[in-house]
PDB file of all heavy atoms in Angstrom:
ATOM      1  N   TRP Q 956     -25.075  55.057 -48.504  1.00 93.00           N
ATOM      2  CA  TRP Q 956     -26.339  55.350 -49.182  1.00 93.00           C
ATOM      3  C   TRP Q 956     -26.339  54.885 -50.626  1.00 93.00           C
ATOM      4  O   TRP Q 956     -27.394  54.795 -51.208  1.00 93.00           O
ATOM      5  CB  TRP Q 956     -26.580  56.880 -49.100  1.00 93.00           C
ATOM      6  CG  TRP Q 956     -27.095  57.288 -47.808  1.00 93.00           C
ATOM      7  CD1 TRP Q 956     -26.412  57.918 -46.765  1.00 93.00           C
ATOM      8  CD2 TRP Q 956     -28.453  57.128 -47.365  1.00 93.00           C
ATOM      9  NE1 TRP Q 956     -27.280  58.073 -45.696  1.00 93.00           N
ATOM     10  CE2 TRP Q 956     -28.499  57.680 -46.031  1.00 93.00           C
ATOM     11  CE3 TRP Q 956     -29.570  56.623 -47.929  1.00 93.00           C
ATOM     12  CZ2 TRP Q 956     -29.713  57.681 -45.298  1.00 93.00           C
ATOM     13  CZ3 TRP Q 956     -30.733  56.620 -47.179  1.00 93.00           C
ATOM     14  CH2 TRP Q 956     -30.793  57.145 -45.873  1.00 93.00           C
ATOM     15  N   ARG Q 957     -25.180  54.531 -51.199  1.00 91.00           N
ATOM     16  CA  ARG Q 957     -25.177  53.972 -52.568  1.00 91.00           C
ATOM     17  C   ARG Q 957     -25.419  52.500 -52.487  1.00 91.00           C
ATOM     18  O   ARG Q 957     -25.779  51.881 -53.512  1.00 91.00           O
ATOM     19  CB  ARG Q 957     -23.845  54.212 -53.180  1.00 91.00           C
ATOM     20  CG  ARG Q 957     -23.588  55.546 -53.779  1.00 91.00           C
ATOM     21  CD  ARG Q 957     -22.364  55.606 -54.648  1.00 91.00           C
ATOM     22  NE  ARG Q 957     -21.156  55.048 -54.116  1.00 91.00           N
ATOM     23  CZ  ARG Q 957     -20.185  55.698 -53.498  1.00 91.00           C
ATOM     24  NH1 ARG Q 957     -20.250  56.967 -53.375  1.00 91.00           N
ATOM     25  NH2 ARG Q 957     -19.124  55.118 -53.079  1.00 91.00           N
ATOM     26  N   THR Q 958     -25.227  51.858 -51.350  1.00 91.00           N
ATOM     27  CA  THR Q 958     -25.298  50.416 -51.282  1.00 91.00           C
ATOM     28  C   THR Q 958     -26.427  49.955 -50.343  1.00 91.00           C
ATOM     29  O   THR Q 958     -27.621  49.944 -50.746  1.00 91.00           O
ATOM     30  CB  THR Q 958     -23.958  49.839 -50.795  1.00 91.00           C
ATOM     31  OG1 THR Q 958     -23.618  50.406 -49.557  1.00 91.00           O
ATOM     32  CG2 THR Q 958     -22.867  50.075 -51.814  1.00 91.00           C
ATOM     33  N   TYR Q 959     -26.195  49.608 -49.121  1.00 92.00           N
ATOM     34  CA  TYR Q 959     -27.163  48.948 -48.277  1.00 92.00           C
ATOM     35  C   TYR Q 959     -28.285  49.860 -47.782  1.00 92.00           C
ATOM     36  O   TYR Q 959     -29.359  49.414 -47.397  1.00 92.00           O
ATOM     37  CB  TYR Q 959     -26.511  48.146 -47.170  1.00 92.00           C
ATOM     38  CG  TYR Q 959     -25.742  49.005 -46.165  1.00 92.00           C
ATOM     39  CD1 TYR Q 959     -26.402  49.502 -44.996  1.00 92.00           C
ATOM     40  CD2 TYR Q 959     -24.432  49.285 -46.304  1.00 92.00           C
ATOM     41  CE1 TYR Q 959     -25.689  50.259 -44.113  1.00 92.00           C
ATOM     42  CE2 TYR Q 959     -23.718  50.025 -45.396  1.00 92.00           C
ATOM     43  CZ  TYR Q 959     -24.317  50.522 -44.325  1.00 92.00           C
ATOM     44  OH  TYR Q 959     -23.663  51.266 -43.403  1.00 92.00           O
ATOM     45  N   LYS Q 960     -28.054  51.196 -47.693  1.00 92.00           N
ATOM     46  CA  LYS Q 960     -29.112  52.142 -47.237  1.00 92.00           C
ATOM     47  C   LYS Q 960     -29.978  52.596 -48.415  1.00 92.00           C
ATOM     48  O   LYS Q 960     -30.920  53.328 -48.139  1.00 92.00           O
ATOM     49  CB  LYS Q 960     -28.468  53.314 -46.540  1.00 92.00           C
ATOM     50  CG  LYS Q 960     -27.972  53.054 -45.173  1.00 92.00           C
ATOM     51  CD  LYS Q 960     -27.452  54.369 -44.549  1.00 92.00           C
ATOM     52  CE  LYS Q 960     -27.008  54.166 -43.098  1.00 92.00           C
ATOM     53  NZ  LYS Q 960     -26.581  55.494 -42.576  1.00 92.00           N
ATOM     54  N   ALA Q 961     -29.624  52.305 -49.646  1.00 91.00           N
ATOM     55  CA  ALA Q 961     -30.293  52.815 -50.793  1.00 91.00           C
ATOM     56  C   ALA Q 961     -31.754  52.385 -50.910  1.00 91.00           C
ATOM     57  O   ALA Q 961     -32.075  51.272 -50.474  1.00 91.00           O
ATOM     58  CB  ALA Q 961     -29.542  52.428 -52.053  1.00 91.00           C
ATOM     59  N   ASP Q 962     -32.581  53.257 -51.379  1.00 91.00           N
ATOM     60  CA  ASP Q 962     -33.992  52.982 -51.646  1.00 91.00           C
ATOM     61  C   ASP Q 962     -34.136  52.962 -53.189  1.00 91.00           C
ATOM     62  O   ASP Q 962     -33.756  53.891 -53.887  1.00 91.00           O
ATOM     63  CB  ASP Q 962     -34.884  54.092 -51.032  1.00 91.00           C
ATOM     64  CG  ASP Q 962     -36.388  53.746 -51.108  1.00 91.00           C
ATOM     65  OD1 ASP Q 962     -36.780  53.013 -52.040  1.00 91.00           O
ATOM     66  OD2 ASP Q 962     -37.108  54.196 -50.229  1.00 91.00           O
ATOM     67  N   THR Q 963     -34.740  51.900 -53.667  1.00 92.00           N
ATOM     68  CA  THR Q 963     -34.891  51.798 -55.130  1.00 92.00           C
ATOM     69  C   THR Q 963     -35.748  52.841 -55.740  1.00 92.00           C
ATOM     70  O   THR Q 963     -35.658  53.061 -56.947  1.00 92.00           O
ATOM     71  CB  THR Q 963     -35.482  50.381 -55.504  1.00 92.00           C
ATOM     72  OG1 THR Q 963     -36.712  50.247 -54.871  1.00 92.00           O
ATOM     73  CG2 THR Q 963     -34.488  49.283 -55.124  1.00 92.00           C
ATOM     74  N   ARG Q 964     -36.572  53.475 -54.975  1.00 93.00           N
ATOM     75  CA  ARG Q 964     -37.441  54.590 -55.502  1.00 93.00           C
ATOM     76  C   ARG Q 964     -36.753  55.915 -55.595  1.00 93.00           C
ATOM     77  O   ARG Q 964     -37.264  56.855 -56.178  1.00 93.00           O
ATOM     78  CB  ARG Q 964     -38.679  54.709 -54.642  1.00 93.00           C
ATOM     79  CG  ARG Q 964     -39.533  53.477 -54.579  1.00 93.00           C
ATOM     80  CD  ARG Q 964     -40.654  53.588 -53.526  1.00 93.00           C
ATOM     81  NE  ARG Q 964     -40.013  53.852 -52.190  1.00 93.00           N
ATOM     82  CZ  ARG Q 964     -40.577  54.470 -51.245  1.00 93.00           C
ATOM     83  NH1 ARG Q 964     -41.722  55.078 -51.416  1.00 93.00           N
ATOM     84  NH2 ARG Q 964     -39.921  54.654 -50.106  1.00 93.00           N
ATOM     85  N   ALA Q 965     -35.533  56.048 -55.016  1.00 93.00           N
ATOM     86  CA  ALA Q 965     -34.778  57.305 -54.934  1.00 93.00           C
ATOM     87  C   ALA Q 965     -34.254  57.659 -56.280  1.00 93.00           C
ATOM     88  O   ALA Q 965     -33.912  56.816 -57.123  1.00 93.00           O
ATOM     89  CB  ALA Q 965     -33.750  57.227 -53.938  1.00 93.00           C
ATOM     90  N   PHE Q 966     -34.079  58.986 -56.535  1.00 93.00           N
ATOM     91  CA  PHE Q 966     -33.360  59.474 -57.685  1.00 93.00           C
ATOM     92  C   PHE Q 966     -31.886  59.528 -57.319  1.00 93.00           C
ATOM     93  O   PHE Q 966     -31.572  60.245 -56.337  1.00 93.00           O
ATOM     94  CB  PHE Q 966     -33.869  60.822 -58.205  1.00 93.00           C
ATOM     95  CG  PHE Q 966     -32.992  61.359 -59.265  1.00 93.00           C
ATOM     96  CD1 PHE Q 966     -33.103  60.883 -60.566  1.00 93.00           C
ATOM     97  CD2 PHE Q 966     -32.022  62.278 -59.015  1.00 93.00           C
ATOM     98  CE1 PHE Q 966     -32.271  61.381 -61.577  1.00 93.00           C
ATOM     99  CE2 PHE Q 966     -31.226  62.801 -60.001  1.00 93.00           C
ATOM    100  CZ  PHE Q 966     -31.343  62.331 -61.308  1.00 93.00           C
ATOM    101  N   MET Q 967     -31.032  58.916 -58.052  1.00 93.00           N
ATOM    102  CA  MET Q 967     -29.635  58.878 -57.702  1.00 93.00           C
ATOM    103  C   MET Q 967     -28.744  59.230 -58.934  1.00 93.00           C
ATOM    104  O   MET Q 967     -28.844  58.491 -59.973  1.00 93.00           O
ATOM    105  CB  MET Q 967     -29.263  57.525 -57.113  1.00 93.00           C
ATOM    106  CG  MET Q 967     -30.049  57.173 -55.892  1.00 93.00           C
ATOM    107  SD  MET Q 967     -29.664  55.533 -55.215  1.00 93.00           S
ATOM    108  CE  MET Q 967     -28.412  56.114 -54.028  1.00 93.00           C
ATOM    109  N   LEU Q 968     -28.043  60.257 -58.798  1.00 93.00           N
ATOM    110  CA  LEU Q 968     -26.973  60.618 -59.806  1.00 93.00           C
ATOM    111  C   LEU Q 968     -25.710  60.221 -59.155  1.00 93.00           C
ATOM    112  O   LEU Q 968     -25.130  61.001 -58.392  1.00 93.00           O
ATOM    113  CB  LEU Q 968     -27.022  62.053 -60.185  1.00 93.00           C
ATOM    114  CG  LEU Q 968     -25.970  62.519 -61.191  1.00 93.00           C
ATOM    115  CD1 LEU Q 968     -26.260  61.890 -62.563  1.00 93.00           C
ATOM    116  CD2 LEU Q 968     -25.862  63.957 -61.284  1.00 93.00           C
ATOM    117  N   MET Q 969     -25.244  59.015 -59.422  1.00 91.00           N
ATOM    118  CA  MET Q 969     -24.013  58.496 -58.784  1.00 91.00           C
ATOM    119  C   MET Q 969     -22.871  58.464 -59.750  1.00 91.00           C
ATOM    120  O   MET Q 969     -23.023  58.039 -60.921  1.00 91.00           O
ATOM    121  CB  MET Q 969     -24.279  57.036 -58.298  1.00 91.00           C
ATOM    122  CG  MET Q 969     -25.368  56.899 -57.304  1.00 91.00           C
ATOM    123  SD  MET Q 969     -25.470  55.257 -56.667  1.00 91.00           S
ATOM    124  CE  MET Q 969     -26.033  54.323 -58.117  1.00 91.00           C
ATOM    125  N   ARG Q 970     -21.735  58.726 -59.253  1.00 89.00           N
ATOM    126  CA  ARG Q 970     -20.436  58.551 -59.918  1.00 89.00           C
ATOM    127  C   ARG Q 970     -19.484  57.906 -58.927  1.00 89.00           C
ATOM    128  O   ARG Q 970     -19.166  58.542 -57.885  1.00 89.00           O
ATOM    129  CB  ARG Q 970     -19.880  59.833 -60.518  1.00 89.00           C
ATOM    130  CG  ARG Q 970     -20.775  60.509 -61.607  1.00 89.00           C
ATOM    131  CD  ARG Q 970     -20.848  59.571 -62.822  1.00 89.00           C
ATOM    132  NE  ARG Q 970     -21.494  60.143 -63.965  1.00 89.00           N
ATOM    133  CZ  ARG Q 970     -22.810  59.865 -64.201  1.00 89.00           C
ATOM    134  NH1 ARG Q 970     -23.471  59.064 -63.426  1.00 89.00           N
ATOM    135  NH2 ARG Q 970     -23.354  60.371 -65.287  1.00 89.00           N
ATOM    136  N   SER Q 971     -19.077  56.726 -59.212  1.00 85.00           N
ATOM    137  CA  SER Q 971     -18.267  55.962 -58.261  1.00 85.00           C
ATOM    138  C   SER Q 971     -16.902  56.589 -57.999  1.00 85.00           C
ATOM    139  O   SER Q 971     -16.347  56.435 -56.920  1.00 85.00           O
ATOM    140  CB  SER Q 971     -18.052  54.577 -58.730  1.00 85.00           C
ATOM    141  OG  SER Q 971     -17.372  54.522 -59.976  1.00 85.00           O
ATOM    142  N   TYR Q 972     -16.438  57.393 -58.903  1.00 89.00           N
ATOM    143  CA  TYR Q 972     -15.167  58.085 -58.762  1.00 89.00           C
ATOM    144  C   TYR Q 972     -15.254  59.377 -57.944  1.00 89.00           C
ATOM    145  O   TYR Q 972     -14.229  60.038 -57.739  1.00 89.00           O
ATOM    146  CB  TYR Q 972     -14.463  58.285 -60.096  1.00 89.00           C
ATOM    147  CG  TYR Q 972     -15.390  58.944 -61.145  1.00 89.00           C
ATOM    148  CD1 TYR Q 972     -15.596  60.251 -61.187  1.00 89.00           C
ATOM    149  CD2 TYR Q 972     -16.028  58.127 -62.049  1.00 89.00           C
ATOM    150  CE1 TYR Q 972     -16.400  60.835 -62.095  1.00 89.00           C
ATOM    151  CE2 TYR Q 972     -16.885  58.705 -63.001  1.00 89.00           C
ATOM    152  CZ  TYR Q 972     -17.057  60.056 -63.020  1.00 89.00           C
ATOM    153  OH  TYR Q 972     -17.890  60.638 -63.955  1.00 89.00           O
ATOM    154  N   VAL Q 973     -16.456  59.765 -57.574  1.00 91.00           N
ATOM    155  CA  VAL Q 973     -16.661  60.964 -56.745  1.00 91.00           C
ATOM    156  C   VAL Q 973     -17.048  60.472 -55.354  1.00 91.00           C
ATOM    157  O   VAL Q 973     -18.154  59.921 -55.154  1.00 91.00           O
ATOM    158  CB  VAL Q 973     -17.777  61.870 -57.293  1.00 91.00           C
ATOM    159  CG1 VAL Q 973     -17.991  63.090 -56.426  1.00 91.00           C
ATOM    160  CG2 VAL Q 973     -17.411  62.320 -58.734  1.00 91.00           C
ATOM    161  N   PRO Q 974     -16.209  60.641 -54.323  1.00 93.00           N
ATOM    162  CA  PRO Q 974     -16.417  59.970 -53.066  1.00 93.00           C
ATOM    163  C   PRO Q 974     -17.509  60.628 -52.244  1.00 93.00           C
ATOM    164  O   PRO Q 974     -18.042  59.993 -51.325  1.00 93.00           O
ATOM    165  CB  PRO Q 974     -15.069  60.035 -52.393  1.00 93.00           C
ATOM    166  CG  PRO Q 974     -14.364  61.208 -53.004  1.00 93.00           C
ATOM    167  CD  PRO Q 974     -14.886  61.261 -54.417  1.00 93.00           C
ATOM    168  N   THR Q 975     -17.808  61.916 -52.361  1.00 94.00           N
ATOM    169  CA  THR Q 975     -18.750  62.560 -51.530  1.00 94.00           C
ATOM    170  C   THR Q 975     -20.048  62.871 -52.275  1.00 94.00           C
ATOM    171  O   THR Q 975     -20.109  62.832 -53.514  1.00 94.00           O
ATOM    172  CB  THR Q 975     -18.159  63.898 -51.012  1.00 94.00           C
ATOM    173  OG1 THR Q 975     -17.723  64.707 -52.142  1.00 94.00           O
ATOM    174  CG2 THR Q 975     -16.996  63.652 -50.072  1.00 94.00           C
ATOM    175  N   ALA Q 976     -21.114  63.172 -51.457  1.00 95.00           N
ATOM    176  CA  ALA Q 976     -22.428  63.363 -52.088  1.00 95.00           C
ATOM    177  C   ALA Q 976     -23.305  64.228 -51.148  1.00 95.00           C
ATOM    178  O   ALA Q 976     -22.930  64.555 -50.023  1.00 95.00           O
ATOM    179  CB  ALA Q 976     -23.150  62.039 -52.348  1.00 95.00           C
ATOM    180  N   VAL Q 977     -24.466  64.557 -51.669  1.00 96.00           N
ATOM    181  CA  VAL Q 977     -25.485  65.281 -50.963  1.00 96.00           C
ATOM    182  C   VAL Q 977     -26.744  64.482 -51.090  1.00 96.00           C
ATOM    183  O   VAL Q 977     -27.103  64.020 -52.193  1.00 96.00           O
ATOM    184  CB  VAL Q 977     -25.666  66.744 -51.445  1.00 96.00           C
ATOM    185  CG1 VAL Q 977     -26.899  67.362 -50.844  1.00 96.00           C
ATOM    186  CG2 VAL Q 977     -24.467  67.577 -51.179  1.00 96.00           C
ATOM    187  N   ARG Q 978     -27.504  64.308 -49.968  1.00 96.00           N
ATOM    188  CA  ARG Q 978     -28.767  63.623 -50.009  1.00 96.00           C
ATOM    189  C   ARG Q 978     -29.820  64.573 -49.513  1.00 96.00           C
ATOM    190  O   ARG Q 978     -29.609  65.249 -48.499  1.00 96.00           O
ATOM    191  CB  ARG Q 978     -28.732  62.397 -49.140  1.00 96.00           C
ATOM    192  CG  ARG Q 978     -29.952  61.495 -49.229  1.00 96.00           C
ATOM    193  CD  ARG Q 978     -29.807  60.291 -48.292  1.00 96.00           C
ATOM    194  NE  ARG Q 978     -30.094  60.611 -47.005  1.00 96.00           N
ATOM    195  CZ  ARG Q 978     -31.387  60.711 -46.464  1.00 96.00           C
ATOM    196  NH1 ARG Q 978     -32.398  60.391 -47.166  1.00 96.00           N
ATOM    197  NH2 ARG Q 978     -31.532  61.008 -45.167  1.00 96.00           N
ATOM    198  N   VAL Q 979     -30.906  64.679 -50.259  1.00 95.00           N
ATOM    199  CA  VAL Q 979     -32.030  65.652 -49.898  1.00 95.00           C
ATOM    200  C   VAL Q 979     -33.349  64.926 -49.928  1.00 95.00           C
ATOM    201  O   VAL Q 979     -33.655  64.258 -50.943  1.00 95.00           O
ATOM    202  CB  VAL Q 979     -32.021  66.856 -50.872  1.00 95.00           C
ATOM    203  CG1 VAL Q 979     -32.984  67.858 -50.381  1.00 95.00           C
ATOM    204  CG2 VAL Q 979     -30.663  67.425 -51.110  1.00 95.00           C
ATOM    205  N   GLU Q 980     -34.080  64.987 -48.864  1.00 94.00           N
ATOM    206  CA  GLU Q 980     -35.401  64.431 -48.823  1.00 94.00           C
ATOM    207  C   GLU Q 980     -36.336  65.158 -49.743  1.00 94.00           C
ATOM    208  O   GLU Q 980     -36.243  66.336 -49.904  1.00 94.00           O
ATOM    209  CB  GLU Q 980     -36.010  64.481 -47.403  1.00 94.00           C
ATOM    210  CG  GLU Q 980     -35.216  63.776 -46.386  1.00 94.00           C
ATOM    211  CD  GLU Q 980     -35.330  62.268 -46.455  1.00 94.00           C
ATOM    212  OE1 GLU Q 980     -36.377  61.726 -46.988  1.00 94.00           O
ATOM    213  OE2 GLU Q 980     -34.376  61.590 -46.073  1.00 94.00           O
ATOM    214  N   VAL Q 981     -37.224  64.395 -50.443  1.00 93.00           N
ATOM    215  CA  VAL Q 981     -38.228  65.023 -51.299  1.00 93.00           C
ATOM    216  C   VAL Q 981     -39.479  65.208 -50.413  1.00 93.00           C
ATOM    217  O   VAL Q 981     -40.029  64.195 -49.900  1.00 93.00           O
ATOM    218  CB  VAL Q 981     -38.540  64.179 -52.527  1.00 93.00           C
ATOM    219  CG1 VAL Q 981     -39.679  64.710 -53.324  1.00 93.00           C
ATOM    220  CG2 VAL Q 981     -37.275  63.993 -53.395  1.00 93.00           C
ATOM    221  N   THR Q 982     -39.958  66.405 -50.301  1.00 92.00           N
ATOM    222  CA  THR Q 982     -41.061  66.745 -49.333  1.00 92.00           C
ATOM    223  C   THR Q 982     -42.419  66.779 -50.047  1.00 92.00           C
ATOM    224  O   THR Q 982     -43.454  66.958 -49.409  1.00 92.00           O
ATOM    225  CB  THR Q 982     -40.783  67.999 -48.573  1.00 92.00           C
ATOM    226  OG1 THR Q 982     -40.587  69.060 -49.518  1.00 92.00           O
ATOM    227  CG2 THR Q 982     -39.576  67.876 -47.677  1.00 92.00           C
ATOM    228  N   ASP Q 983     -42.394  66.710 -51.410  1.00 88.00           N
ATOM    229  CA  ASP Q 983     -43.652  66.796 -52.175  1.00 88.00           C
ATOM    230  C   ASP Q 983     -44.482  65.538 -51.903  1.00 88.00           C
ATOM    231  O   ASP Q 983     -44.012  64.423 -52.232  1.00 88.00           O
ATOM    232  CB  ASP Q 983     -43.323  66.953 -53.632  1.00 88.00           C
ATOM    233  CG  ASP Q 983     -44.556  67.126 -54.502  1.00 88.00           C
ATOM    234  OD1 ASP Q 983     -45.668  67.117 -53.955  1.00 88.00           O
ATOM    235  OD2 ASP Q 983     -44.378  67.262 -55.776  1.00 88.00           O
ATOM    236  N   PRO Q 984     -45.684  65.662 -51.363  1.00 88.00           N
ATOM    237  CA  PRO Q 984     -46.460  64.469 -51.030  1.00 88.00           C
ATOM    238  C   PRO Q 984     -46.948  63.695 -52.282  1.00 88.00           C
ATOM    239  O   PRO Q 984     -47.284  62.540 -52.174  1.00 88.00           O
ATOM    240  CB  PRO Q 984     -47.650  64.984 -50.231  1.00 88.00           C
ATOM    241  CG  PRO Q 984     -47.725  66.422 -50.571  1.00 88.00           C
ATOM    242  CD  PRO Q 984     -46.333  66.900 -50.915  1.00 88.00           C
ATOM    243  N   ASP Q 985     -46.981  64.369 -53.441  1.00 89.00           N
ATOM    244  CA  ASP Q 985     -47.421  63.727 -54.627  1.00 89.00           C
ATOM    245  C   ASP Q 985     -46.280  62.972 -55.355  1.00 89.00           C
ATOM    246  O   ASP Q 985     -46.531  62.258 -56.341  1.00 89.00           O
ATOM    247  CB  ASP Q 985     -48.036  64.762 -55.617  1.00 89.00           C
ATOM    248  CG  ASP Q 985     -49.288  65.424 -55.029  1.00 89.00           C
ATOM    249  OD1 ASP Q 985     -49.989  64.697 -54.298  1.00 89.00           O
ATOM    250  OD2 ASP Q 985     -49.556  66.542 -55.381  1.00 89.00           O
ATOM    251  N   ASP Q 986     -45.085  63.169 -54.888  1.00 88.00           N
ATOM    252  CA  ASP Q 986     -43.915  62.549 -55.521  1.00 88.00           C
ATOM    253  C   ASP Q 986     -43.543  61.283 -54.720  1.00 88.00           C
ATOM    254  O   ASP Q 986     -43.229  61.317 -53.572  1.00 88.00           O
ATOM    255  CB  ASP Q 986     -42.740  63.488 -55.563  1.00 88.00           C
ATOM    256  CG  ASP Q 986     -41.615  63.025 -56.421  1.00 88.00           C
ATOM    257  OD1 ASP Q 986     -41.535  61.832 -56.804  1.00 88.00           O
ATOM    258  OD2 ASP Q 986     -40.765  63.893 -56.776  1.00 88.00           O
TER     259      ASP Q 986
END
Side-chain angles (χ1 to χ4, degrees):
W956 281 102
R957 282 192 312 262
T958 56
Y959 64 90
K960 286 186 177 181
D962 188 329
T963 56
R964 300 171 299 150
F966 172 78
M967 302 179 93
L968 178 68
M969 297 184 294
R970 294 297 184 260
S971 61
Y972 49 83
V973 178
T975 54
V977 170
R978 190 180 77 85
V979 188
E980 298 289 331
V981 176
T982 58
D983 183 1
D985 296 330
D986 192 345

